Structures are given as C-alpha cells and as structure tokens.
Amino acid sequence: MFEQASHSLKMRDVRITDGFWGKMVQTVCEKMLPYQWDVLNDQAEDAPPSGCIRNFKIAAGLQTGDFSGMVFQDSDLAKWIEAAAYSLSVHPDEEMERRIDEAIEYVAKAQQQDGYLDTYFTIKAPEMRWTDLRDCHELYCAGHMMEAAVAYYEVTGKRTLLDVMLRTARHIMQVIGPEEGKIHGYPGHPEIELALMRMYQATGEEDLLRLARYFVDERGKSPNFFVEEEARRGTEGHFPQNISLGLSYFQSHLPVREQKTMEGHSVRALYLLCGMIDVAVHDMDEELLQACYALFDNATQKRMYVTGGVGSTSIGEAFTADYDLPNDIAYAETCASVALVFAAQRLLHVHADGRIADIMETALYNTCLAGMAQDARHFFYVNPLEVVPEVCEHNPDHRHVLPERPAWYGCACCPPNLARLICSLGSYAYSMDETTLYLHLYISGSAQFEMQGKKCSVSVETWYPYDGRIRICPRGGKYRLGLHLPGWCKSYCLKINGEEAEALCRSGYLLVERTWQEDDTVELILDLAPRRIYANPMVVHDTDCVAIASGPLVYCAEEEDHGKALHLIHLPRQSCLVRTEKEMPGLGRFVGIEADALTAALPVPDALLYGDCPVAYDRPVRLQLIPYYLWANRGKGEMRVWLHEGEK
Amino acid sequence: MFEQASHSLKMRDVRITDGFWGKMVQTVCEKMLPYQWDVLNDQAEDAPPSGCIRNFKIAAGLQTGDFSGMVFQDSDLAKWIEAAAYSLSVHPDEEMERRIDEAIEYVAKAQQQDGYLDTYFTIKAPEMRWTDLRDCHELYCAGHMMEAAVAYYEVTGKRTLLDVMLRTARHIMQVIGPEEGKIHGYPGHPEIELALMRMYQATGEEDLLRLARYFVDERGKSPNFFVEEEARRGTEGHFPQNISLGLSYFQSHLPVREQKTMEGHSVRALYLLCGMIDVAVHDMDEELLQACYALFDNATQKRMYVTGGVGSTSIGEAFTADYDLPNDIAYAETCASVALVFAAQRLLHVHADGRIADIMETALYNTCLAGMAQDARHFFYVNPLEVVPEVCEHNPDHRHVLPERPAWYGCACCPPNLARLICSLGSYAYSMDETTLYLHLYISGSAQFEMQGKKCSVSVETWYPYDGRIRICPRGGKYRLGLHLPGWCKSYCLKINGEEAEALCRSGYLLVERTWQEDDTVELILDLAPRRIYANPMVVHDTDCVAIASGPLVYCAEEEDHGKALHLIHLPRQSCLVRTEKEMPGLGRFVGIEADALTAALPVPDALLYGDCPVAYDRPVRLQLIPYYLWANRGKGEMRVWLHEGEK
C-alpha cells in the first residue's frame, strides 16, 4: 500500500488565480484575515472582544488583566497565524507578514521559562497545569500553534515560532510520556498528534514522531486515563459537563486500532484520524492504516450528509448512528467538514483514490464553503440541510440552527479554520510521487515542482466547478499527470493538443504520460449535467426525496425564489434539469439549476389540522436551485436540499 | 353562550362495566393503584424508593429523616388519593378506602399550625416558604391535594381532607392576594386555579372563587411578578435552570386574556386553561371564555399530533410553533394529553360541541392510553409517533424518547394522572342540563341522574371503540339524549326499539327526545370503516404520509409484524383497509387493520450512501396495523404512525 504514497507540493510553489477560487482566496486574504486580526485584537466593531491577543500580552507580562474567552482561546490566534502564513504564499502582503511577526512576538514572550505555553493556565492557574488533559485543551492549543509554526516556516523560512514550539514540545515530553513519573495521558481534544507529525516532517526530530505515536497508541487503553485523571482531580473540573458525554465523546472508549465506527465529537474524531493516518504512513503500519480506512469509510459511507457535513447532533457536536441524518436539526459543523478535507488529503497521499477525492470535493464545495458568507464576514458553524426560520426561533431543539450567518462567535473555531483551508488549497489540489503529478482538485493557477531532478510546472485554467472545461499546460519533461475523474462524471472528453485522446483510468484518475513540450495542452472536459442523488434507503429522513447536484456542487431551494413551504414542492422524476448561468445581488455570478416542478396551494389559515383529503400537488412552479454554499446570502428564509420527488 | 351549560353527573352515580373500559378500570383499580401505593410507600420491588409518604411522615413528626424526591413530590400522593377516591365509586374496595384514610391521616398531621402544607419546605427550609412561587410548586401541590380532597369527599362524604385543604386555602389567602402586605403573585405551575374552583363548587365558599379568579387575572401582568420575585430572591433558586426558559414557559408573558397561542410547558398551559374556563363559566365572563376557545383552538388545530399528543419539544416539555410536529423527537407527554381531556370536558360543559368531544376521544384513546402498558405497571411519559430504537440509543436529541415503557420514574407525574383520569371516566362520558343527558363518550355501564325531579338512568352496552354498535337503555321519564356523533363518522344508523329512526343533529350531537318507557332501546351504529388521515400541508414532517384510523383509534405499524425499516413501507392510495379482530400475546383482544402495501428490499450493508438510483418499492407486504395505544407491549422495536403513501 505504502509504495504508492505521494506528497503535497511546497505551499509557496502553488498559485491560485482567477476562476472560482481566485476571488475566494482574494476575499479571504484581503478581507477575512484582516478582519479576523481586528477581532483577535478586540478592534472589530461588529464582533464582541475576543481577548485572544490580549491574553498573550498578559501572559507575556506586557499588560495586566484577567484571561478572557474559552479555555482554548489561544487556538484562535494559532489558526489565524497558520492561515495568514498560507496567505502570503498565494497573496504576498508585507502588512500581513508584519502582523504575523507581531503575533509571533507575543507568543514567544508568553512562553514560560520551561517551554510551557498556554495563556489560560499561565494567567489563571499555573499550579493547575496538566491536571486536566481531558477538558482543558493545553495539548490542543499547542498543536494548533505547532501547525502555525510549520506553516510560517515553510512559507517564509522564518523559524522563530518553530523554535518556540520545539521548546514547547520538549516541555511536553518531559511531562507526558510512557516513562515512569510522567503522565501516561493524551489530549481530550486530538490535534497535537497531526501537528507533531508536521513538526517532525519539517525538522526531522525523532522525538516529535515518538510523542505523536505515543498519543495515538495510548488512547483508549484500559484502565482509562481520563477516568483515572478525573478520580485524581475530582469532578470539579473546568468543563465538568463533559463527564456525562462518556468516553466515546473523546474517542477514548477503545484503543484506536479497535474502533470501527466514528464516535463522539466529530472534529475531535477527525483530527485524531488525521494524526493516526500520519503515524500509520510514516511507520508503514498496515494495521493502523486499516483502522483509519475503516473509520473514514464509516464516517463517509454511513454518517455523512450529501453536502459533506458530518456530526448529526448538536449535543456533543457528535456522530450518532449509521444512516441517522436528520436534515433540520443537523449539526454538521463547518470545522468537521474542514477536518474531513484534512483526512481525505492524507488518504489521497497514501493512495490516489478517486472516491476519496470525491469526498474531499463534496465537503469542500458544499459544507466548508457554506460556512462563509459572500461578504467573508459572517459565518455558519452549523450547516443544516433544511431550515424553516419560524421553527428555528420557536423550537429549542433547533436552537443551534441559525437561518442567517452571524458575524462572529465567542467560540470562534470555524472562521479561522476555513481561512487556513482556503489559503492552503494548493496543498489539497496537487500531490506528486516520483513519476506522477496528481491533480485532485481543479483550481485555476499554477504549480512548480521538481520531477526527477528537473524543474517542472503545470498551469490550469478553468471556471470549474461551474464549467467542466479544464485546460492544463504541463511543462518540463517526462512525467505523468494523474487527473481526478470524479465519480459523478458520467461522460468526459480528454483532448491532448486539441485531439481527442484516450487514457488509462486507474482508481478514479486518468493517467496521461508523455514528455511534455512547450505548447502542449491537455484539456479535460467533464460533463456537469445536473443529476439526481438518492440517499441509501436506510436514511429515514430522505425517503422519497431527491437532491440535485451538478459536478461537486449540491444545490438547494430558497424561499427567496419560491415563497414559503418549500416542503410542498415536488420535483417530478422526469422533469428536465437545466443549468443556467446567473448573476444575482448577494450571490454574484454562478450557475443555477432550473426545472419544472409542482407544488400545492397554501392552505387557508383556519384549514383543518387533520382531514381526509390528500394534498393536491397541482400548481406548476419553476424550481430555481442555487448552489448550497450560496444559501442565506439574501436574508432570512426557508432553505431545503432534499426535495420531495413526485410523479406526473 | 352560557345558557347551554351542562354539568357532570355525580361520580358515584356512574358505573363502568365490561366492554373496552371495564377491564381497563379493573386493571387500574386492582393492579395499578395498589402498585402505586407500594411505590409511594417505598415498598415496590422494581421501582426506586419514592419517599413521598415518608416525607409526609417526617413533616408530621412521625419519623425522622431528610426530604426525598422532587420539590413537588407531595403531588404524587395527592394524585394517588384522587385516583383511589374515584376508584371506590367504580370499584368499591375496603382495603383501598383504608389506605386512603391512612394517607389522609399523614397529610393532616403534616399540616402546620397555620394551615401550611408542603413537606419540602416543612422539612428542608421552613424559612423559605412562599419565596419562590415560580419554581417551587407549593401552590401546585396544594392544588392537587385540593382536588384529592374534593374527590374523596364527593365519593365517600368524608371531609377530613377537605377540611385540611380549606385550612390550607385560608392560609394561602393570608399570604397571597391583592391586598397590601400580601404577595401579589401566582403559581409557576398552574393547577390550583382549577382546584380552587372545584373546592368552591364543593363547598360554596366564595373566598375560594375569589382566589382562583385572582390567580387567573394577575398572571402575566406588567411588571411581571416572576421577574420581580427573582430580583428579590436572587438567582440561586431551587430550579435556577428555568430562568433561561423565559416567561412564556410559565404562561406569564402576557395577561391570559391577551394570549392567542399556546406557549411554554404544555401541562402548565393546559391546567391553566382549565382554571380559566372554570372561572369564565362561573363568572359568565365572555371575554375570558373567548380567550379560552382561542387557546384551545390553537392547541388542537395548529399544535396537536394526530394522536392527541401536545408539546412538540422535550426542552421545557413545551409547545413550539404552529404546524411544528416532528414525529421522532416529539415530547407529547402523557400528562399533557390528560390535561387536554380535562380542558375538553370543561368546554363540553359550556356547549356540547362534537368537535371538542372528538378531540377528547382522540387524546383519551391514543396518547393517554399509550401512557400505560397492558400490565398497568410500565408507563410512557413521552409518546413519539415514530421510533427507531438504535437512533434513540445513539442520538442524544432522542434521549427522551424511550422505545419501551419503564417501570416508574423519579418524577412520577404521568402514572397517577392516568389513574385518576381512568377511574373518573364517568365524569367525562356524561353531562346533563335541565333537559338533556349528553353522552360524550360511549362506555359500557350505567348512570343514575335526576332530571326535573325524577330519578332517571341510562345503561350502555358496547365494545366501542372496537365495535360501532352502541346499545342504550334510557329510563325514567321524558328527557332528551344528546348522542355524540363523531366527526370522523361518515355514516351511522340510529334505531329506536329496533326501528330505524331519524334525529336532529346539532353541533355534532344527535338529539333523541321522548318519554322513555321500560324496554325502550336506542341503538346507535357508527361506521368504523378504517380511514386515511392527511395532515394539513403545513406540517412538514407528514408530507406525503398518511395515518390510518378506525373510529377514535389511530393505528401504527410495529417492527414485530414487519421487520425493520418501517419507513420503507408505502401504502398505495387505493389499497383496501380491512379491520380484523385479533388476539395476541401482550396485546390481548383487539381489532387490527390490514392492507396490501409495498416495501423495498433492505440494502446490502456496504451499499452506497448516495447513488443515482431511486429506491424501488416493489416488494409486496401485508401491512398489519395495531392501535397506537397498544404499541411497545411486545418488546423493543421500531414503531411508526405516519406511513408513506405511494402509488401503484
């Protein structure tokens, strides 16, 4: 298995220009990251003070005051630094780099003599350090700052933060580990496992690898560390409410190699999976890798919304049961889909499998993107597939489901997570091994890489996923292109230098090999004909319903285009689905889907609640669907992904 | 409006024998009430200790120890006394009467010198009396004990408990009321309003009426009493979590005459409505009565399940929004449907309106009865319309939904509430005015009453609701029978002494008047042909679904008869529905409904989660429906009321 492993290109060697993503990346770099910087500095007008940078300044002794925010507030800055670092590679900006350096200065100064870094405990309770690995996020925050350190080092070559985080890692190794006298524990919120592996890849320090491996393998062993830790600490923890969620909330109900289903908090579960994959790949640990595939398959083949959302319940933001996918009270956190993209990327590096790239696309183009408003200043954490605003407002079972994106939350996990994903898309779009450059995502731009000692490049031009035509110019010598042929694609056309060509398709990738000359052009034309998606019959909530998609984009209906009671719309099975390019206020330029459908007259206000007449779906209506990621950009209203399918 | 008012017969003048209810009443009297007595005395083997009677003994100084249970634990005994009192009228039993007298002795001894009665505060915090009307249930518990006192007095003529509760009422009047120096408040949990009206009707003491009226009219006035009370008390109350539920949870968001929609905790809302109706009727207060009708209509025409359940959310056990009726996470508390029967009874006394009797029947024969297992020892508090056990176990949004009835809860509100309803059914079945005896429910048995000075009687023989033939023998002179003609009944036949007869139908009641002779017989034959019920199109959760009913009974499908995946069953619109008498272990003798339907093959375990093939509903299946109230008497499994309707 491991002999086919590929790796990402260097971040700074990928450009994203024009097309679908160019504007998105620009928006994130020019609007979202500066706005987030203001939020972190308590200077955004429309967001409550974060206190995040202030916490670092206080811990650094630069300022006095109390800690503000959640126990994991530090991670907001870490994710921002990581995202901002990536942004420099796609959108160089001196002012941004200055901000990052300023942030790093605070982080470095907030680090304690012994390498410890966590402003919550430094400010509030230094004597309580490392007493509550389950709930207090010290390892989680360290993990995010390690990722930031690696990102900034890789993009700029500057290693101040990397050195800070190496000191933190060494401090952790002195406190936690298998040796006698150390804590035999692991984090309540996984993240540091994958972060240590990134630090190891950047520095080659074997200790980092060993600690990551220890965290992965120690987890869930019996007797359970969290149970013993709580017994030592007592139940008056910082987040005592977590107790009732059970060990599976923390994925510590079983050793990770024995876990067969995705359980508990979805972001925790998926970050852990990323760390597990990293360790399995490095160690060529076939058993661990099989456990990873089993968990990824369970998450994506039994517990994932058609939009790539995961985590069906708001209670614990967690996975529930196979095929339990309620659309109206879904949680489907933005961060969980971001984490699903992370996991898919890692598995694609093990083996380029088109089905995994399909899942990466689904999560990316639907739930991840839906997390951000078109103004890049409002964000969804929860991504339902069906919304009726009146019900959200009056039924507390829906209290987590917002019909409009708010500006910023106190727990601001999702916005910076989205930012770091979007600014580093290049590392998801491409990977390479000794002979092949894989294109997993089609993104307008270019990539530089070295293949068997030669400098090579590809450039890509496309308005994918709105246009199926992808024009690729490979340069630099003999190598193979591995072009992701999405599973949804029923017909495609491959042209080399304008001539139709055939290519071997292996595991969902078209393999095109030659010695590339100047002016060589590869064109891949994917048929984006709208299609009907049906859920597995075991999904109770989607019975007799259909979802519409074009390419990787799942579509939805909004009240703005149809009036109220979207659930009454029935799309006849034989109705023709038509793609039409549109430009609309709030939505910009996009491709919609239209179809003839039927609906029912709204009942009079005093109509019987129960009667003996079936509803007559006899009113023609022109269904106007927009991409799911664009919903809720035109004010508050109903939204629905799964439409009733009808006969006529 | 008020000139048509009728009233119940005296409890001891109604007999319930044989038929559908005879066995039910017998089970409640012979099994459930003795079992509940054991529970209240901490002597039931399969239930946790209630501590309820022990609390009274401790408060009485007969025993030492701490208070046990909920702050409203006293009400469990009150409801038991009330139910047991009724049971004596339908099922005389010296041992039961001895138990009641014993219980009343403890209550009397637990009463304080000044008339105060509440074991929680007497034992735990006498100095805190009356400081938290919102959350601490002192008035609620007093109300239930007042109802018990009236019931026992009416059935036996014994007035010990009535005198105790008159002293409590006088104590309350000294503490609460409009006069200066008193608390200008009202209960967080309504109940005492209707109880005071019952005490007033039993004793004629005007002060009781005045206090009930005060509680009704003071509620929701601005400035809000609960807000001011909390400010006085601070937020460290006994149930501080209630704060976040808002004033509508307590129906104190508006003066009651201005409330147009049913809001908040459903049992609170419906008990309040009963008290409001009682006051309106006594005072001939047209404005208040109109407010009552508006609330009842909103509850039953916009917010009621087809099974007569109300309260769509478990969070606050509350009403949510019009047409928001999720089947799988429904709350639909048994107590709320019992309270709906109480409210319907009161409105039927204002005006015999068949539509209100229909709602009473729906609630009674479906959600109320479903609250109790056939063994009368296991109870549902929550009555969902769709259950998949695996989802209940793994998705915490369903944590309140149990697939099997448990034996007894710590908060044991529903079982005694059911017991008091079933043992007093006679007061719901009949009412009379100066010229007419109304039969609202058809229950085998007999009733004595005095019409214009003459002793009269009717006897009823029927196996309704399983058999549509109702044989009535009226005796005693000239009067009119008002026979409820249910709204669902599409055809009926009325026979007098064997001859088909015609009768005026007014507001859903057939009016049959004559001077009744010995041997006169009236037969009403209602067509119980199974029917299809469709929800108002605004009910999102029932789109394209159908519920099946026969008479007042709503039916459901169970896994036991069909295997898993009940949601896949499609009942073609033209399938013939057939009633068949059955006898089954766990269910006893009943009438089922069968029909030819279609289902789909279960997918293979690794089938795609999303694909491009619609599900083929091509497997014939014989649908076997049982009455909803009988579900979950044959072990754990799926259940479903709303079935997908299909073409074929």
Side-chain angles (χ1 to χ4, degrees), chain B residues 558-578:
Chain B
E558 279 201 305
E559 182 177 330
E560 178 79 11
D561 304 308
H562 306 89
K564 288 207 175 292
L566 297 177
H567 66 281
L568 292 179
I569 294 176
H570 280 64
L571 178 61
R573 189 164 288 172
Q574 64 277 38
S575 274
C576 186
L577 304 168
V578 183

Side-chain angles (χ1 to χ4, degrees), chain A residues 100-177:
Chain A
I100 302 172
D101 288 331
E102 181 189 332
I104 289 173
E105 187 191 326
Y106 303 139
V107 175
K109 287 186 176 157
Q111 184 171 43
Q112 303 297 290
Q113 279 288 340
D114 59 359
Y116 184 84
L117 177 66
D118 186 292
T119 72
Y120 176 85
F121 284 97
T122 298
I123 297 171
K124 281 183 89 84
E127 74 290 356
M128 298 278 284
R129 284 175 178 194
W130 307 122
T131 57
D132 187 353
L133 299 196
R134 191 189 65 186
D135 303 329
C136 285
H137 291 74
E138 286 158 294
L139 293 171
Y140 169 82
C141 290
H144 272 302
M145 201 59 84
M146 289 177 189
E147 285 207 89
V150 173
Y152 198 54
Y153 170 67
E154 286 184 344
V155 172
T156 64
K158 297 186 188 175
R159 53 179 298 149
T160 307
L161 188 56
L162 189 65
D163 289 335
V164 165
M165 294 319 296
L166 281 170
R167 280 193 294 276
T168 298
R170 284 183 209 117
H171 168 74
I172 293 170
M173 289 170 209
Q174 287 181 343
V175 176
I176 304 173

Side-chain angles (χ1 to χ4, degrees), chain A residues 304 536-537 544 567 570 609-610, chain B residues 304 536-537 544 567 570 610:
Chain A
M304 184 183 80
N536 184 298
D544 292 346
H567 66 282
H570 280 63
L609 184 52
Y610 301 106
Chain B
M304 186 182 79
N536 183 298
D544 292 346
H567 66 281
H570 280 64
Y610 301 106

Side-chain angles (χ1 to χ4, degrees), chain A residues 301-302 304-306 313 315 324 395 397 399 490 534 536-537 541 544 567 570 603 605 608-612, chain B residues 302 304-306 313 315 324 328 395 397 399 490 534 536-537 544 567 570 603 605 608-612 617:
Chain A
Q301 289 307 309
K302 300 276 198 287
M304 184 183 80
Y305 289 94
V306 70
T313 179
I315 300 170
D324 178 40
N395 183 339
D397 290 315
R399 67 202 175 293
K490 290 280 174 283
Y534 299 95
N536 184 298
H541 299 91
D544 292 346
H567 66 282
H570 280 63
L608 283 181
L609 184 52
Y610 301 106
D612 50 14
Chain B
K302 300 276 198 287
M304 186 182 79
Y305 288 95
V306 71
T313 179
I315 301 170
D324 178 41
D328 55 350
N395 183 337
D397 290 315
R399 67 203 174 293
K490 290 281 172 285
Y534 298 94
N536 183 298
D544 292 346
H567 66 281
H570 280 64
L608 282 181
L609 183 52
Y610 301 106
D612 51 13
Y617 299 103

Side-chain angles (χ1 to χ4, degrees), chain A residues 155-383:
Chain A
V155 172
T156 64
K158 297 186 188 175
R159 53 179 298 149
T160 307
L161 188 56
L162 189 65
D163 289 335
V164 165
M165 294 319 296
L166 281 170
R167 280 193 294 276
T168 298
R170 284 183 209 117
H171 168 74
I172 293 170
M173 289 170 209
Q174 287 181 343
V175 176
I176 304 173
E179 297 84 2
E180 211 178 305
K182 295 186 184 177
I183 299 167
H184 305 320
Y186 43 85
H189 195 316
E191 152 66 24
I192 198 169
E193 299 85 349
L194 75 88
L196 285 166
M197 290 304 292
R198 290 188 69 179
M199 292 264 285
Y200 166 66
Q201 284 148 11
T203 65
E205 288 204 18
E206 294 276 338
D207 283 352
L208 300 164
L209 164 67
R210 272 193 290 272
L211 185 59
R213 194 190 286 137
Y214 174 76
F215 282 143
V216 165
D217 277 329
E218 190 66 16
R219 196 170 203 91
K221 278 192 183 165
S222 191
N224 189 281
F225 167 69
F226 291 147
V227 173
E228 298 199 324
E229 187 194 49
E230 184 179 303
R232 275 195 298 277
R233 185 185 64 234
T235 52
E236 297 295 311
H238 295 260
F239 287 120
Q241 72 275 25
N242 282 346
I243 294 162
S244 65
L245 296 169
L247 292 174
S248 63
Y249 173 80
F250 306 97
Q251 299 79 43
S252 77
H253 53 299
L254 280 175
V256 298
R257 289 164 201 263
E258 296 171 28
Q259 296 183 20
K260 304 292 177 213
T261 54
M262 284 300 251
E263 300 296 340
H265 186 260
S266 54
V267 174
R268 281 175 167 80
L270 284 157
Y271 281 6
L272 173 62
L273 179 59
C274 291
M276 287 165 63
I277 300 169
D278 288 341
V279 170
V281 169
H282 177 274
D283 291 352
M284 296 210 215
D285 183 336
E286 188 74 41
E287 182 197 64
L288 184 58
L289 187 67
Q290 287 314 318
C292 294
Y293 274 111
L295 290 173
F296 188 83
D297 284 353
N298 180 255
T300 58
Q301 289 307 309
K302 300 276 198 287
R303 304 183 173 200
M304 184 183 80
Y305 289 94
V306 70
T307 49
V310 287
S312 297
T313 179
S314 67
I315 300 170
E317 306 172 328
F319 288 99
T320 60
D322 288 352
Y323 304 114
D324 178 40
L325 296 162
N327 295 305
D328 55 350
I329 56 168
Y331 199 70
E333 187 182 341
T334 305
C335 282
S337 289
V338 170
L340 192 59
V341 172
F342 296 165
Q345 176 205 39
R346 284 165 168 80
L347 290 178
L348 284 175
H349 288 181
V350 177
H351 170 57
D353 178 341
R355 288 170 303 180
I356 288 171
D358 290 345
I359 286 161
M360 185 161 82
E361 276 204 312
T362 297
L364 176 65
Y365 280 107
N366 298 289
T367 299
C368 292
L369 279 190
M372 186 172 79
Q374 290 302 291
D375 68 3
R377 288 199 174 203
H378 295 79
F379 306 96
F380 275 139
Y381 294 62
V382 172
N383 297 282

Side-chain angles (χ1 to χ4, degrees), chain B residues 361-476:
Chain B
E361 275 204 312
T362 298
L364 177 65
Y365 281 107
N366 298 289
T367 299
C368 292
L369 279 191
M372 187 172 78
Q374 290 303 290
D375 68 3
R377 289 198 170 203
H378 294 80
F379 306 95
F380 274 139
Y381 294 63
V382 172
N383 297 283
L385 283 79
E386 179 184 332
V387 167
V388 177
E390 294 73 19
V391 173
C392 297
E393 285 155 19
H394 290 99
N395 183 337
D397 290 315
H398 295 245
R399 67 203 174 293
H400 58 288
V401 179
L402 303 180
E404 288 185 296
R405 293 176 184 81
W408 194 265
Y409 277 34
C411 169
C413 53
C414 298
N417 232 349
L418 262 183
R420 68 180 180 137
L421 175 67
I422 291 172
C423 289
S424 62
L425 260 191
S427 67
Y428 302 87
Y430 303 96
S431 73
M432 59 176 289
D433 59 22
E434 287 173 12
T435 57
T436 309
L437 179 79
Y438 289 101
L439 281 76
H440 306 295
L441 304 172
Y442 298 113
I443 292 181
S444 258
S446 62
Q448 317 287 324
F449 53 99
E450 205 164 282
M451 186 72 78
Q452 297 178 337
K454 283 193 185 159
K455 291 204 167 195
C456 304
S457 71
V458 294
S459 65
V460 176
E461 250 180 273
T462 185
W463 192 41
Y464 183 87
Y466 284 134
D467 191 325
R469 289 169 298 176
I470 301 143
R471 185 187 157 92
I472 303 160
C473 300
R475 298 286 177 272

